[in-house]
Amino acid sequence: MVIGDQRKYLCALLTLKTAQDNEGNPTNLLADEVKKFLRIHGNNGGTIQEVIDDANLRKDISDGIERVNSKAVSRASYIRKWTLLNEDFSIPGGELTPTLKLKSCLLYTSEAADDLLCVYFG
């Protein structure tokens, strides 16, 4: 999720795709495609907690954001800061609508709100 309305710059709240339980709730287990990507990059972690602070993963994310920024039409559309959240967005968690759109209200009522404040204000 990219946030920047009424802000000096854009920030991104990122999640890693996780496996879901039978009720559609995200677990802390990473999805198979995420584990495959991480293994290629030298990380054998299987949960978010095992990989969230991995320097190589964070460098890969930063490099990806730099590539996106290099194609931006203006500096105003650059992502300046980002953070990796501890869990994936989900419908049961209240962050996604049934059509898988992010609810903006999560910025005011969830852990993501705390992460967003940390991104902007350090």
Side-chain angles (χ1 to χ4, degrees):
M1 169 182 252
V2 177
I3 297 111
D5 189 38
Q6 306 297 315
R7 304 283 185 190
K8 292 181 180 181
Y9 50 85
L10 299 180
C11 292
L13 299 176
L14 307 174
T15 66
L16 296 174
K17 186 175 181 181
T18 60
Q20 296 180 347
D21 64 16
N22 293 336
E23 297 171 0
N25 294 307
T27 65
N28 68 341
L29 300 174
L30 297 170
D32 290 338
E33 58 264 38
V34 175
K35 289 191 278 190
K36 181 179 177 183
F37 173 85
L38 290 170
R39 274 194 297 276
I40 291 169
H41 292 85
N43 186 320
N44 292 319
T47 67
I48 291 177
Q49 291 76 17
E50 292 172 346
V51 302
I52 198 164
D53 292 322
D54 181 70
N56 290 331
L57 173 62
R58 291 187 169 273
K59 182 174 181 341
D60 287 338
I61 293 170
S62 288
D63 291 347
I65 289 174
E66 285 179 27
R67 282 193 302 275
V68 168
N69 284 343
S70 72
K71 297 177 183 179
V73 295
S74 72
R75 291 183 56 110
S77 58
Y78 283 21
I79 296 172
R80 304 274 182 201
K81 295 185 179 185
W82 59 271
T83 190
L84 195 54
L85 301 179
N86 289 330
E87 66 179 51
D88 202 356
F89 298 130
S90 68
I91 295 170
E95 301 93 2
L96 297 176
T97 68
T99 57
L100 301 180
K101 295 176 187 158
L102 281 167
K103 294 180 180 179
S104 59
C105 65
L106 84 101
L107 297 178
Y108 307 105
T109 61
S110 68
E111 178 184 324
D114 293 336
D115 288 328
L116 177 62
L117 289 174
C118 288
V119 169
Y120 272 110
F121 303 110

